[in-house]
Structure formats: C-alpha cells, structure tokens
Amino acid sequence: DEVTAHLVTQSISRNSPVFKLLFHFGLAISGLESRAPIVNTESVICAIVFVTKNDQVLNGTCLSNKAKDGACLASITLPASWWPPINIDFSSKKGQKSTHATVSYRIVHNSQCVIPSVNQIDSDLTQSNIEVGQINLTPFLGDYEEVTSDDSVRILIPQAPTYANAYIYVPVLFRYNPNYPLSAFRIRAKVKSGIKIIDAQLAPSSPWQIKLEINSKQTYATVTAFLKDQEFQSDDFQSDKAEDVFIGFSQEVYSFLIQIDETVNHTDAGRIAWSIDYITDESLSSMIASIKVLERDTSKLSSRFDIQKDEIQIVIGVTSSPTMINTAVLTGKQVSQPLRIYVVSQSGNIGDVTLQSSCKSSDESTIKVSPSCTSAYLDGSEVRGSHNATLLISYGVYTGKLDSFKFLFNLF
C-alpha cells in the first residue's frame, strides 16, 4: 500500500512550535468520487513519524482508519529547549541563529500503532525509517509585548496571529537588580475559556529551578522560580559572584506553554491575567512548604493573544509515486498518474480540494497535467525527461506546487 509523507512547513518558529506532517494513504487516491478512505479495517495502516534533534527523538502517529479523504495529519509540539534561549535585547534579531531537526517515518500494519521504545529507536528501528528531510527551527522574528511592572521580571507575549489548536511559548525573563536581590519570584496566570495552560519548561542551562502547579481545568497556574545554588539564597546574594552571574543581562528562566482550544471564540478570547510576586525573606524550604511567604509586592497585569479565524496554511499536491517512465513516446498510449490536492489549515484541518483547484505544468515539454488537477500525464509529445519537474497548483487565492517529479524516457 502506497503511503507518502508531506511537510506542511519546513520552518517552525518558537512562537508556534507545532510540527505537522501530512500522510496520504494510497488506497484512497484512485477513487475521487469516494470521500471516505478505502481501508481494510482488519489491517489498519499506521504511520509513525520521528522528529530527531541531537539525541532527542519525538514521535507522532497517523492511522489509516482515522484518515479523512485519504489523508491524516501527525502533529508534534516541539520543546522550547530546541531553540536557543532569548537574549537580553530580545528586540534585536542579530545573532539569532536557526537550528534544524530531522524528520523520518515508518509504516507498520498494527491496529494498536505502538510507538517504539527508546531502545528500539536506537537499534534497528531507524534503519528502516524513510527519511522525509530536515526542518528549520527558527527564532521568533516578530515583536513581543512586554508584561512587567519594573523590568526585574518580564513576561513576553508574541505579537503574531494565532489560531484554534495552536500552541504558544510565552518566555519569562529575569534581570538582576543589585539594589534589590531576589531569592525567588512567583507568577500566577489565569486564562479565560478557550485557552489552556499546559506546562512551564525551564530554559536550558538555567541557574533557576521551578515549581509548577496547574488546576484540573488548566485555566489557572502558579510557577515559583528560585535559584538552584544555596549560596544564592543567602544574605550574600549581593556578592561579587552574583554580580558576575547576573548584572548587565537578562536570563530566560522558563517558558509557559499555552494552548488555544479548538472551541475558542476568536472574537472574545485571548486574555490572560498575570500576577507577579517578588520573594526575598523566606528560606527555600519554607517557601516550598508554605504559601505564606513574605512578598515585596504583587503586581497585577494582563495581556491578550491575537486569535484569528482559521485560514489555509498550505496547499499540497499528492501523487502515489514521484516517478513515471515515458513509454508513450514508443507506444503512443498515454501514461498517467492520479493526483490529489489537499489544503491544511492553521488549526490542522484537512480538506480535499482537487476538483476545486486548477493546475498547470511549469514545462509542458517534460510533463502535462489536467486543468482539473485529477492527473499528471505523458502523451508521447515530450522532448526530454526531467528529474525535478514541477506542477503549479491554484486554489482560490492560494498557490502550491508539486515538485521533484522524475519522468524518464523508455529507450528500449
């Protein structure tokens, strides 16, 4: 059974850290009149995707019996630690570098679709994986809204449109103030219906540690951050060592992971209420054991996400095989390959828009395509083959392409 994988985006920004891979199950490609996937329910096809960065491997799955119009979407939220921490001058984009991760997948005929263990991944499993390619992990190049009362602790809200089913990282930065040494600080976050607080992730190589508490509805969270080393908890916090560590720069402490729920009302949502407590007079043990801490003050602040109506993210052309042999130059009989055109929305919805799309070839001397996008074909009039032929796709105001086609002449 033909299964193909298609990257929804090749660049993933930290403010929108969800990786998406579209799987197409070849059993459904030949029946455009049938909107339901044609699958054998006794032998479910399972696609397992692997996203690898250094020694970390993340997994996601797609099941053929869950596919819509022959396709399904595997989504994985990448950890904040896969991007470099935010610099002191976060408004400056200089020096911010992209990293990358590798994407592969494998197909199993297993109705349970069991994700393999780490030991399996490290041994023979990856040897049988099909490589998709690399994705770029890019820094957020937009602007942040600063939520702060005095610049000691800053909450950064990405100023970019977001959508239902999206995940967002909200970084928290600390700036050392020698006139007021903090031993710890606490942030409370409260969200309205349609938003959930999923997690708080500590920045890599941070001198801080955090304690996270989230209510069962995931609408209220408290994160207490305190320094790891006991010497920083003492009265000597204003020592030269503390100066060397903190003065003159901001340290990213952690990031909130926020989810925009699929039921969100984009016209009346997106608000988060924050309160920031500065803690100086309690020891680490008593702070953890009791809520009754001595606070300098409590600052109450608010911010809002820009939640938009769902819209198309990408137009993807799909065929069951990237290679065709041009026997038509010898036989005069047309050689064709059925096509499917899908759209994937920002919220992760998939739609088959084949019959509502229009297609054309970038070079009809190598390949032709039906205007209705139902097939690519060779009729014998081609003058040469190609290892990178491209089909251009239009769906309303949106465009896409299907490239890397290989069309070879049969000379025998």
Side-chain angles (χ1 to χ4, degrees):
D1 301 324
E2 290 288 346
V3 178
T4 56
H6 310 268
L7 291 171
V8 173
T9 177
Q10 291 191 330
S11 295
I12 301 177
S13 174
R14 173 174 166 154
N15 70 298
S16 183
V18 178
F19 164 78
K20 300 174 186 174
L21 187 69
L22 179 77
F23 282 101
H24 177 262
F25 296 94
L27 287 170
I29 196 169
S30 59
L32 282 173
E33 71 283 356
S34 174
R35 315 314 291 175
I38 307 169
V39 296
N40 181 352
T41 56
E42 295 182 357
S43 180
V44 175
I45 301 173
C46 172
I48 306 177
V49 58
F50 302 88
V51 183
T52 306
K53 185 177 187 294
N54 301 328
D55 58 348
Q56 291 183 278
V57 182
L58 303 178
N59 311 95
T61 61
C62 268
L63 289 168
S64 59
N65 63 344
K66 302 293 184 182
K68 177 184 178 184
D69 295 328
C72 72
L73 196 67
S75 299
I76 302 173
T77 303
L78 306 182
S81 61
W82 282 21
W83 286 267
I86 294 177
N87 299 328
I88 170 181
D89 184 11
F90 59 85
S91 62
S92 172
K93 308 304 184 289
K94 295 181 179 180
Q96 298 188 37
K97 297 181 179 180
S98 297
T99 58
H100 67 269
T102 303
V103 180
S104 62
Y105 72 96
R106 75 188 311 256
I107 304 301
V108 294
H109 294 268
N110 186 334
S111 60
Q112 295 182 353
C113 203
V114 177
I115 293 178
S117 67
V118 173
N119 290 336
Q120 288 176 298
I121 294 172
D122 289 341
S123 57
D124 62 337
L125 184 64
T126 54
Q127 297 178 12
S128 60
N129 284 357
I130 301 169
E131 185 173 346
V132 178
Q134 289 189 340
I135 53 173
N136 294 319
L137 307 179
T138 60
F140 176 53
L141 299 180
D143 295 323
Y144 285 107
E145 174 193 356
E146 271 191 83
V147 179
T148 184
S149 59
D150 62 4
D151 204 39
S152 291
V153 174
R154 294 179 291 169
I155 304 167
L156 305 185
I157 309 298
Q159 298 298 284
T162 189
Y163 306 87
N165 287 331
Y167 287 80
I168 306 167
Y169 282 120
V170 176
V172 174
L173 272 62
F174 167 78
R175 184 189 296 275
Y176 175 66
N177 183 348
N179 297 319
Y180 188 78
L182 296 179
S183 61
F185 65 90
R186 181 175 61 199
I187 294 179
R188 298 184 182 94
K190 185 178 182 180
V191 298
K192 294 185 66 175
S193 175
I195 302 180
K196 293 180 179 178
I197 304 169
I198 303 301
D199 195 12
Q201 299 180 14
L202 192 67
S205 305
S206 172
W208 299 81
Q209 53 189 327
I210 59 176
K211 178 187 178 186
L212 170 65
E213 298 172 288
I214 304 178
N215 70 348
S216 59
K217 294 183 179 180
Q218 297 179 293
T219 57
Y220 185 85
T222 301
V223 180
T224 305
F226 45 94
L227 290 162
K228 291 179 180 177
D229 297 334
Q230 291 296 325
E231 59 188 296
F232 288 148
Q233 306 293 335
S234 69
D235 294 336
D236 297 329
F237 187 71
Q238 295 186 54
S239 68
D240 292 339
K241 185 174 182 180
E243 293 281 343
D244 292 341
V245 173
F246 289 112
I247 195 167
F249 72 93
S250 287
Q251 166 80 46
E252 180 183 341
V253 181
Y254 63 90
S255 288
F256 283 97
L257 178 59
I258 307 294
Q259 180 190 11
I260 309 299
D261 194 76
E262 62 181 358
T263 61
V264 69
N265 180 353
H266 72 278
T267 61
D268 183 30
R271 183 176 179 273
I272 301 183
W274 308 94
S275 67
I276 305 175
D277 304 329
Y278 293 150
I279 307 166
T280 58
D281 297 312
E282 288 291 302
S283 69
L284 177 62
S285 59
S286 63
M287 183 185 70
I288 296 297
S290 174
I291 298 177
K292 296 179 180 179
V293 295
L294 298 179
E295 302 163 357
R296 183 188 75 171
D297 58 13
T298 298
S299 301
K300 295 186 177 180
L301 307 158
S302 66
S303 61
R304 184 180 292 272
F305 292 117
D306 180 15
I307 301 176
Q308 300 287 324
K309 292 179 66 174
D310 197 15
E311 62 181 24
I312 292 173
Q313 181 176 4
I314 192 173
V315 179
I316 296 177
V318 171
T319 184
S320 58
S321 173
T323 302
M324 293 174 64
I325 298 177
N326 194 346
T327 58
V329 295
L330 298 178
T331 66
K333 186 177 180 180
Q334 185 181 100
V335 180
S336 65
Q337 188 83 260
L339 299 178
R340 277 274 179 94
I341 310 301
Y342 292 96
V343 291
V344 180
S345 76
Q346 296 283 358
S347 297
N349 297 312
I350 302 172
D352 181 346
V353 296
T354 305
L355 301 179
Q356 292 79 47
S357 302
S358 61
C359 293
K360 64 179 182 179
S361 171
S362 62
D363 183 358
E364 291 197 348
S365 67
T366 59
I367 182 177
K368 298 174 179 64
V369 61
S370 62
S372 61
C373 296
T374 54
S375 65
Y377 64 92
L378 307 169
D379 61 10
S381 64
E382 295 77 26
V383 298
R384 63 181 183 277
S386 174
H387 285 270
N388 193 28
T390 300
L391 304 181
L392 306 176
I393 306 165
S394 296
Y395 172 69
V397 299
Y398 300 96
T399 60
K401 64 180 180 178
L402 177 57
D403 53 15
S404 299
F405 258 120
K406 293 180 181 179
F407 296 96
L408 309 177
F409 273 84
N410 186 350
L411 301 177
F412 303 97

